[in-house]
């Protein structure tokens, strides 16, 4: 007695074992991939992915250790300032937000929103 009469993914007739669901490994893999894409992204994965992207962007744009860049440049490549790992407050009261070892400070200069990008230093402990 066959449980499935056709491949779950491509609907081709099945031959062989009675408990078979897929006609080949490609169909099995494609079906699992399709199912995974339909599931809503878990909150942890969303946060983790954005932190990784933010770190990558900050690392890419901060080659000199301290750089000032327009906020629109970073936001165009997917940077989201709401995702950070920790912060550091300097003696002037400025709060730098960090994504692991790369930090940023939001500033408004001449009516333009900018970020000062820095890297973590020992004295910031």
């Amino acid at each position: 007695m066959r449980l499935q009469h056709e491949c779950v993914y491509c609907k081709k007739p099945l031959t062989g074992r009675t408990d078979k669901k897929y006609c080949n490994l490609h169909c099995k893999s494609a079906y699992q991939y399709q199912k995974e894409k339909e599931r809503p992204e878990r909150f942890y994965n969303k946060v983790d992915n954005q932190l990784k992207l933010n770190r990558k962007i900050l690392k890419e744009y901060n080659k000199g250790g301290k750089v000032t860049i327009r906020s629109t440049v970073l936001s165009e490549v997917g940077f989201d300032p709401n995702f950070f790992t920790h912060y550091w407050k300097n003696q002037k009261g400025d709060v730098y937000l960090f994504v692991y070892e790369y930090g940023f400070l939001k500033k408004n200069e001449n009516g333009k929103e900018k970020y000062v990008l820095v890297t973590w230093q020992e004295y910031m402990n």
Side-chain angles (χ1 to χ4, degrees):
M1 178 114 191
R2 179 166 291 285
L3 300 176
Q4 289 285 121
H5 295 287
E6 56 186 31
C7 176
V8 175
Y9 184 70
C10 72
K11 308 299 183 207
K12 287 182 184 173
L14 292 174
T15 59
R17 292 186 3 218
T18 58
D19 61 342
K20 198 172 181 181
K21 293 181 182 179
Y22 312 97
C23 57
N24 58 39
L25 287 176
H26 169 74
C27 282
K28 181 179 181 180
S29 178
Y31 180 78
Q32 296 298 331
Y33 179 75
Q34 178 185 15
K35 279 298 194 198
E36 191 60 35
K37 278 183 70 173
E38 290 171 3
R39 286 183 38 198
E41 192 173 23
R42 292 188 357 231
F43 180 72
Y44 166 80
N45 292 352
K46 241 180 178 171
V47 171
D48 192 44
N49 289 340
Q50 188 61 53
L51 285 172
K52 287 176 185 175
L53 179 62
N54 280 0
R55 183 187 180 277
K56 179 182 169 191
I57 292 168
L58 291 173
K59 180 181 180 182
E60 187 177 317
Y61 283 91
N62 189 3
K63 301 283 186 196
K66 185 174 182 182
V67 177
T68 303
I69 190 164
R70 276 181 268 127
S71 64
T72 55
V73 172
L74 295 183
S75 63
E76 285 172 1
V77 291
F79 182 76
D80 187 341
N82 297 314
F83 290 84
F84 56 92
T85 55
H86 60 287
Y87 66 91
W88 175 73
K89 190 174 186 178
N90 68 10
Q91 291 176 342
K92 294 184 211 172
D94 298 326
V95 177
Y96 287 81
L97 303 176
F98 278 83
V99 181
Y100 304 107
E101 72 272 33
Y102 298 102
F104 60 97
L105 170 68
K106 194 178 213 176
K107 284 191 136 185
N108 207 327
E109 291 181 0
N110 302 325
K112 300 203 188 252
E113 196 174 272
K114 297 181 179 185
Y115 289 117
V116 177
L117 308 182
V118 297
T119 54
W120 184 262
Q121 305 294 317
E122 269 306 306
Y123 69 84
M124 296 175 173
N125 284 331

